Amino acid sequence: MGLTKQYLRYVSSAVFGVIGSQKANIAYVTLRGGERGRYVAVAACEHVFIWDVRKGEKVLILQGQKHEVTFLCPSPDGIHIAVGYEDGAVRIFSLMNGESNVSFNGHKSAVSVIHYDRLGARLVTGSKDTEVIVWDIINECGLYRLRGHKDIITQALFLKDKNLLVTSSKDSFVKWWDLDTQHCFKTMVGHRSEVWSMVLLNQEYRLLTGSADSELRAWDISYLQEVRKNTGEPKVKKGKTLLEDDDDEDNEEGLDESPEERILSCKKAGTILREARDRVVSMTTDHKARVIACHGNDSILELFTVLSEEEVQRKMTKKLKKAKKKAAKAQEDAGEEAAEPVVERTLKDEIIRLTNIKASAKIRWVECLSCVGGELKVALLLQNNTVETYSLKTSDKTPTANKTARLTLGGHRTDVRTLAFSSDNLAVLSASGDTVKVWNRSTLQVIRTMACDYALCSLFVPGDRQIILGTKSGKLQIFELASGSLLETVDAHDGALWSLCLAPDQRGIVTGSADKTVKFWEFELIKDQGTAQKRLTVKHTRTLQLEEDVLCVKFSPDHRLLAVSLLDCTVKIFYTDTLKFFLSLYGHKLPVLCLDISHDNTIIATGSADRNLKIWGLDFGDCHRSMFAHDDSVMFLQFVPKTHLFFTAGKDKKIKQWDADKFEHIQTLEGHHREVWCLAISPNGDHLVSASHDKSLRLWERTREPIILEEEREMEREAEFEESMAKGDVPVVPGETQGEAAPASKKTVETVKAAERIMEALELYKEENRKLEVHKYACENAGKELTNSLMLFQPSRYVLDVIKKVRSSELEVSLLVLPFPYVPELLKLFNSYIQQGLEVELVCRCLFFLLKIHFGQISSNQMLLSVIDELRTNTVSKVREIRDVMGFNNAGLQFLQREIESKEDVMFFADATGQLKDKKKKRRKRERAILTIA
């Protein structure tokens, strides 16, 4: 039996080069009681990066799994942050240690919005699946799912003092939900296009919405319970009449004041015009709702301020005085009695423009933070992989924004189109449309950043002291790494320079361009005119003229052959010395975008836009094998040094490893969330770096773990089966209608596995009980005592342990998929647990859920009558007992608190700032007294 070929696994080592992903918002966070406004959280593909904007450093990484982050929301206490993902999951991370202990899974597609309630005990999430889910964070479970919108949820806000929720969507509707009854009691239909964002102002008596036009619409909210308390008078709050005449012609909302409106009513208060003409991309306020920030698809951020009632009254008084003066003057001129001037209060008197901030690029997300002294901090996530922060004083008459920080060093502004490794495996070169960066592979820090033209290909010059770039304009740019300076720009071609290859003798390079030529260049050292030192340049030696655009060129390692990929879908092989034609490799249906030749000059592999890769022999040009490689164009291909293994990168976001001898797919490296443009393999083959349209660079490293292909295929099949199993519908609960409210959780692989574990535990419990009965019967017949070995293992406790290990957020769905034949045994076990006082709260939760979903079958089963009766008695008595204990403990703690406060004159949980000010005043008085005496 021959030895099998051993392959080693490559795993993801790091993600770098991305400052902030565009899919998710930016949020201010506090770390370990640090300064407010110093740290910002941004998404970085599947991770969350916390940046210190003052130092420009990454201070914390919240590790994700494989799905992209789509929304961030810090908790009100600043200790946690909720993160929404592309697959609909929500995870809550601790900002103290970066760990995630709570996760929710209820949405079928990407989470589009997350918000906490005032206390931080509940979480509302909206998604692309058009559904809104309210989660209980303390109990770690979903409360309910709210259905009604017909498109992506764009915003969801809790009201602070009322158990209400307001949501907006791209279906142009704003819906109000009563969370006590879980139904939508009002739908606002006044928008003619998508509602992209909204905020609550004036202590939640005003709603401001941003739509697809340049208007911000304001709606006055009147809470009808408050109106009734006011003996039929219109409810006036903050100087506004909130209950207006029903015949208002400007009422665009299209609402009918029907008898069903028992909670609140909305009236249009007016509009605010933005300077931008396109849609609102994002809109937010500071935590006091005094400043509104909004922007469109451009680089201008518009800031508005909401005046307080006193400021509005002062403004209206001035306006009235001015109107009276004008009326008096008009009266003098006319010589007749004029009517008393009336000044109407409009929306422009309450919300005024503060200033505009011009960012360095198009804005994607904005976040505001009010600080002490009237300072407003603004953080902007830009569309070119940049974070900018600004600061301004809102109390100034003409506030001007000052840029306080700009995070740009850790990434490129545009997509990286070429990568290269240095010969010592320590440095990585990445070049984009405007800059070239050199990174330290081990620390992932930028060593050099240099401005360049749009780069398409690159390499390190032997010695690793210089680099050469080929650009879209057809130029060769030579940079020196020590000084970070551009040594020379050579006009090499008339078209885009698509490919660059170092000669095997390391004395020169070859370039291929869209101008249908292949040019050969030699390295030369010439004396610089300004200094006596020599510098590197390239000298053009030969030109190979072809009939089609050149896409890729590659020398064979023995320097004998040159492979050229052309736009006519063929690969031409030429002799290097004479440039005579040797072979033509044809068979691809679309142009060959990448190719490489093996170290022993026997194999050439080509990757094409037709999604196939072909392996050819270099002796006769015969095609050994054609394989379907990717679901989109194959963008890059490279052999691992000194092997016949090679990697391909595709527009389908995947990197794949192949064996050119056995024509087998070895492994797939998944991680990128957009098209993979290029990759580079280190000279020793231990590392791989890839660049993608998601702005990230990923480092992969070779481990010592062997890959067994049969196991890999089996794991892929299992993953597919589990995915299809999880996509099945959740069993329908009898008596439950598919209305506005529904259970929050969804069926996943984890819930199915949890149900299977519960079933296995119950089967084991039955089996062990049967064995125990047999053993008891045998001992009784033999007149022996029961041995202790069988008493050590308690199968009933094992079932409880299995249920305890099920995630709280997945418990209901796990019990829902549990077949009914297991339920009677489970109810009997629950009875014994409650009698013993074991996990009463958890057992009651499971018991009530099972009774709810299996009510018909349980109530019709005579065998369970006695069990249910016992459960009723035991549950009520045990819960009452626990409640009494908790009440006693609570009263005891309150008594201790009062005792300590009276003894030490210390207020527990009180704000100490007032006391500190008093102490400082007393100290200053004492100091002044001492100075006067002296």
Side-chain angles (χ1 to χ4, degrees):
M1 180 180 171
L3 287 171
T4 56
K5 196 167 184 178
Q6 192 181 58
Y7 307 109
L8 296 177
R9 188 181 298 281
Y10 283 79
V11 296
S12 178
S13 172
V15 178
F16 62 106
V18 58
I19 292 169
S21 294
Q22 309 304 303
K23 271 208 166 182
N25 58 317
I26 185 170
Y28 275 113
V29 294
T30 51
L31 282 186
R32 304 174 191 91
E35 180 190 339
R36 291 181 75 225
R38 181 170 177 176
Y39 303 102
V40 294
V42 290
C45 299
E46 68 269 26
H47 306 306
V48 176
F49 288 171
I50 311 292
W51 291 92
D52 183 338
V53 291
R54 186 183 293 174
K55 293 182 179 177
E57 292 176 358
K58 202 185 301 171
V59 291
L60 184 64
I61 298 175
L62 308 179
Q63 295 284 345
Q65 288 162 347
K66 64 175 184 177
H67 294 283
E68 208 170 358
V69 174
T70 56
F71 206 86
L72 305 171
C73 181
S75 63
D77 59 8
I79 297 171
H80 298 93
I81 184 168
V83 182
Y85 292 91
E86 185 78 40
D87 64 337
V90 178
R91 295 172 71 195
I92 297 175
F93 288 87
S94 167
L95 290 171
M96 309 299 282
N97 52 22
E99 292 179 359
S100 168
N101 295 322
V102 181
S103 63
F104 302 122
N105 211 327
H107 292 292
K108 297 182 184 72
S109 54
V111 175
S112 56
V113 64
I114 303 175
H115 272 287
Y116 280 90
D117 69 350
R118 185 168 57 92
L119 297 173
R122 289 181 302 175
L123 195 70
V124 62
T125 60
S127 167
K128 285 186 178 179
D129 63 9
T130 75
E131 295 177 346
V132 177
I133 300 179
V134 180
W135 306 91
D136 182 348
I137 294 172
I138 296 166
N139 203 24
E140 297 181 20
C141 67
L143 294 175
Y144 33 79
R145 183 189 303 267
L146 303 173
R147 297 187 177 116
H149 283 292
K150 299 290 185 286
D151 210 332
I152 298 170
I153 309 297
T154 54
Q155 187 61 286
L157 300 168
F158 284 107
L159 270 70
K160 286 179 183 172
D161 301 320
K162 299 171 179 63
N163 199 22
L164 303 176
L165 180 73
V166 58
T167 59
S168 64
S169 168
K170 279 176 68 178
D171 61 5
S172 79
F173 298 139
V174 174
K175 286 182 178 285
W176 292 84
W177 306 83
D178 183 355
L179 298 183
D180 290 326
T181 57
Q182 294 132 44
H183 82 285
C184 173
F185 64 88
K186 179 183 271 308
T187 301
M188 294 166 60
V189 293
H191 301 89
R192 293 177 174 85
S193 55
E194 302 96 333
V195 182
W196 287 101
S197 189
M198 64 177 177
V199 291
L200 286 162
L201 307 172
N202 294 5
Q203 296 179 355
E204 299 178 344
Y205 281 86
R206 172 161 289 159
L207 184 70
L208 194 68
T209 57
S211 189
D213 51 21
S214 59
E215 290 184 354
L216 297 178
R217 292 170 175 78
W219 313 82
D220 279 339
I221 306 163
S222 66
Y223 299 100
L224 301 184
Q225 295 93 333
E226 295 177 10
V227 174
R228 290 194 192 96
K229 284 177 190 173
N230 211 7
T231 64
E233 292 290 325
K235 175 67 180 176
V236 177
K237 181 75 176 177
K238 293 284 181 187
K240 297 183 292 298
T241 302
L242 296 176
L243 197 64
E244 299 174 2
D245 186 13
D246 287 349
D247 298 324
D248 185 6
E249 291 178 1
D250 293 328
N251 182 13
E252 283 185 24
E253 57 169 337
L255 297 176
D256 51 295
E257 297 290 338
S258 60
E260 285 83 20
E261 292 190 11
R262 298 191 185 93
I263 300 172
L264 58 82
S265 64
C266 296
K267 293 280 185 183
K268 189 169 182 188
T271 59
I272 303 167
L273 275 175
R274 295 162 50 235
E275 287 182 359
R277 293 282 170 242
D278 56 350
R279 75 172 179 89
V280 172
V281 173
S282 79
M283 179 166 65
T284 186
T285 65
D286 62 334
H287 69 282
K288 294 177 184 173
R290 291 296 307 276
V291 177
I292 305 163
C294 68
H295 66 91
N297 268 318
D298 52 13
S299 58
I300 305 292
L301 177 73
E302 298 180 56
L303 293 173
F304 299 90
T305 184
V306 182
L307 298 180
S308 65
E309 184 57 29
E310 293 77 21
E311 290 169 329
V312 174
Q313 291 297 345
R314 282 200 299 270
K315 193 174 182 181
M316 295 308 295
T317 307
K318 283 182 185 176
K319 218 173 179 181
L320 188 61
K321 278 183 184 176
K322 197 181 281 184
K324 280 181 178 177
K325 277 185 185 177
K326 199 173 180 182
K329 193 176 181 184
Q331 186 180 343
E332 283 176 16
D333 295 344
E336 58 184 35
E337 194 80 18
E340 185 74 19
V342 177
V343 178
E344 285 187 12
R345 179 167 164 174
T346 62
L347 191 66
K348 289 178 183 176
D349 298 321
E350 298 170 29
I351 300 174
I352 60 169
R353 186 178 293 276
L354 188 64
T355 186
N356 286 356
I357 296 176
K358 177 83 167 70
S360 60
K362 288 183 178 180
I363 303 169
R364 186 65 189 88
W365 297 97
V366 60
E367 173 79 340
C368 295
L369 183 69
S370 289
C371 299
V372 289
E375 184 188 10
L376 180 74
K377 291 185 177 179
V378 179
L380 302 176
L381 176 61
L382 307 183
Q383 290 187 14
N384 66 348
N385 196 27
T386 307
V387 171
E388 288 183 349
T389 59
Y390 293 84
S391 173
L392 68 151
K393 287 274 186 181
T394 54
S395 53
D396 294 350
K397 281 190 177 178
T398 54
T400 54
N402 301 313
K403 190 185 288 185
T404 53
R406 188 163 185 253
L407 303 177
T408 58
L409 188 64
H412 289 271
R413 308 285 72 74
T414 56
D415 290 0
V416 172
R417 299 309 297 255
T418 175
L419 292 163
F421 258 103
S422 61
S423 60
D424 58 2
N425 310 288
L426 292 178
V428 177
L429 179 154
S430 64
S432 66
D434 55 355
T435 53
V436 54
K437 289 179 184 282
V438 180
W439 308 77
N440 183 321
R441 195 213 75 230
S442 55
T443 63
L444 303 178
Q445 297 298 312
V446 179
I447 303 168
R448 287 282 179 272
T449 300
M450 298 159 281
C452 68
D453 293 345
Y454 197 115
L456 296 175
C457 49
S458 62
L459 56 80
F460 277 90
V461 175
D464 298 334
R465 292 184 181 181
Q466 296 90 11
I467 57 172
I468 298 180
L469 299 182
T471 69
K472 199 173 184 179
S473 56
K475 294 180 174 62
L476 281 174
Q477 292 188 316
I478 306 171
F479 292 87
E480 186 177 43
L481 292 183
S483 61
S485 59
L486 175 65
L487 293 179
E488 188 180 4
T489 300
V490 180
D491 292 324
H493 291 273
D494 297 329
L497 204 159
W498 287 112
S499 187
L500 190 64
C501 182
L502 183 68
D505 60 4
Q506 300 193 338
R507 292 183 179 179
I509 57 172
V510 63
T511 58
S513 167
D515 64 0
K516 304 179 183 178
T517 59
V518 174
K519 293 187 179 180
F520 295 81
W521 309 80
E522 282 184 359
F523 295 132
E524 239 184 10
L525 287 172
I526 58 168
K527 281 192 178 179
D528 203 349
Q529 293 176 356
T531 61
Q533 292 179 345
K534 289 187 175 183
R535 66 171 176 83
L536 182 80
T537 186
V538 288
K539 185 177 76 172
H540 178 219
T541 56
R542 292 185 295 171
T543 302
L544 173 63
Q545 186 67 43
L546 294 157
E547 295 176 359
E548 294 286 342
D549 291 12
V550 177
L551 298 178
C552 190
V553 292
K554 187 69 72 174
F555 278 117
S556 63
D558 61 1
H559 208 173
R560 190 173 70 92
L561 301 172
L562 175 72
V564 182
S565 160
L566 302 176
L567 200 62
D568 63 1
C569 310
T570 63
V571 176
K572 300 279 196 292
I573 312 290
F574 298 90
Y575 289 106
T576 307
D577 48 2
T578 61
L579 298 184
K580 283 185 179 178
F581 175 74
F582 173 48
L583 290 170
S584 177
L585 311 179
Y586 55 89
H588 283 290
K589 297 178 179 68
L590 289 170
V592 173
L593 303 178
C594 49
L595 58 88
D596 199 10
I597 300 171
S598 65
H599 70 286
D600 54 3
N601 313 292
T602 57
I603 295 171
I604 179 170
T606 59
S608 164
D610 63 8
R611 304 178 292 176
N612 291 311
L613 69 87
K614 292 181 186 287
I615 298 167
W616 317 75
L618 262 184
D619 295 333
F620 306 104
D622 54 323
C623 180
H624 292 177
R625 186 64 61 94
S626 177
M627 293 182 283
F628 182 77
H630 291 269
D631 295 329
D632 209 330
S633 302
V634 182
M635 297 302 296
F636 208 87
L637 184 151
Q638 190 176 347
F639 275 97
V640 178
K642 298 189 173 69
T643 68
H644 277 190
L645 308 178
F646 63 93
F647 281 94
T648 59
K651 276 189 176 180
D652 62 352
K653 316 172 192 175
K654 292 174 184 172
I655 299 166
K656 295 185 179 182
Q657 188 183 19
W658 308 83
D659 186 343
D661 291 332
K662 295 189 174 182
F663 315 119
E664 284 185 318
H665 170 222
I666 300 166
Q667 63 178 325
T668 302
L669 305 180
E670 293 186 9
H672 283 294
H673 302 284
R674 298 287 181 280
E675 301 93 327
V676 182
W677 296 128
C678 54
L679 58 86
I681 302 172
S682 63
N684 61 7
D686 284 344
H687 295 91
L688 178 79
V689 66
S690 56
S692 166
H693 184 46
D694 62 13
K695 297 285 196 300
S696 71
L697 301 174
R698 285 177 187 265
L699 184 66
W700 314 81
E701 69 179 32
R702 185 161 60 187
T703 63
R704 304 264 64 87
E705 180 193 347
I707 293 177
I708 298 154
L709 295 181
E710 290 77 11
E711 286 184 8
E712 284 291 300
R713 302 294 95 83
E714 184 64 32
M715 283 164 64
E716 285 173 14
R717 283 193 292 272
E718 277 180 16
E720 282 178 18
F721 172 72
E722 286 178 354
E723 197 175 330
S724 63
M725 185 174 62
K727 281 180 181 174
D729 294 330
V730 177
V732 178
V733 180
E736 290 266 338
T737 56
Q738 291 295 315
E740 287 178 336
S745 301
K746 73 169 184 181
K747 183 181 174 185
T748 61
V749 177
E750 285 75 22
T751 58
V752 174
K753 285 181 177 176
E756 286 175 355
R757 286 196 296 272
I758 294 170
M759 285 190 277
E760 284 171 10
L762 286 167
E763 291 287 355
L764 183 65
Y765 167 71
K766 287 179 189 174
E767 183 65 26
E768 290 297 323
N769 264 4
R770 190 184 59 77
K771 283 182 185 174
L772 194 62
E773 289 296 326
V774 170
H775 190 65
K776 270 185 187 177
Y777 181 72
C779 288
E780 282 172 8
N781 286 347
K784 296 178 184 176
E785 287 188 9
L786 190 65
T787 55
N788 214 21
S789 59
L790 283 170
M791 299 298 288
L792 293 174
F793 175 64
Q794 295 182 328
S796 61
R797 291 296 293 271
Y798 174 67
V799 176
L800 183 59
D801 288 339
V802 169
I803 294 172
K804 275 166 65 179
K805 285 175 185 173
V806 179
R807 245 188 220 156
S808 182
S809 57
E810 296 168 354
L811 186 60
E812 273 84 3
V813 182
S814 301
L815 293 170
L816 191 58
V817 297
L818 195 71
F820 181 74
Y822 291 94
V823 172
E825 201 66 46
L826 207 51
L827 293 177
K828 291 172 186 171
L829 281 171
F830 285 168
N831 192 22
S832 67
Y833 298 152
I834 290 169
Q835 282 176 340
Q836 296 169 53
L838 300 171
E839 300 290 341
V840 176
E841 188 182 342
L842 174 68
V843 170
C844 284
R845 182 180 162 192
C846 297
L847 171 63
F848 299 151
F849 184 75
L850 286 174
L851 289 174
K852 178 185 169 186
I853 61 173
H854 296 298
F855 178 75
Q857 287 170 291
I858 291 171
S859 58
S860 61
N861 192 334
Q862 293 294 321
M863 303 288 288
L864 291 175
L865 192 61
S866 59
V867 178
I868 296 296
D869 192 45
E870 278 183 47
L871 274 167
R872 180 179 58 81
T873 311
N874 295 335
T875 305
V876 171
S877 63
K878 190 57 72 173
V879 169
R880 189 176 289 134
E881 186 183 316
I882 291 171
R883 192 180 59 191
D884 291 344
V885 170
M886 285 179 67
F888 179 83
N889 290 344
N890 192 23
L893 288 169
Q894 287 175 358
F895 172 74
L896 288 171
Q897 181 182 336
R898 287 193 297 272
E899 285 291 308
I900 295 167
E901 284 174 359
S902 61
K903 279 180 188 174
E904 300 183 9
D905 198 22
V906 175
M907 292 296 289
F908 270 26
F909 312 117
D911 190 5
T913 52
Q915 295 171 11
L916 188 66
K917 283 178 185 174
D918 293 341
K919 281 182 183 176
K920 282 183 179 176
K921 280 181 185 175
K922 285 176 184 175
R923 190 168 67 243
R924 280 198 291 268
K925 279 182 184 177
R926 280 200 304 272
E927 286 170 359
R928 279 198 293 269
I930 291 163
L931 287 169
T932 51
I933 291 164

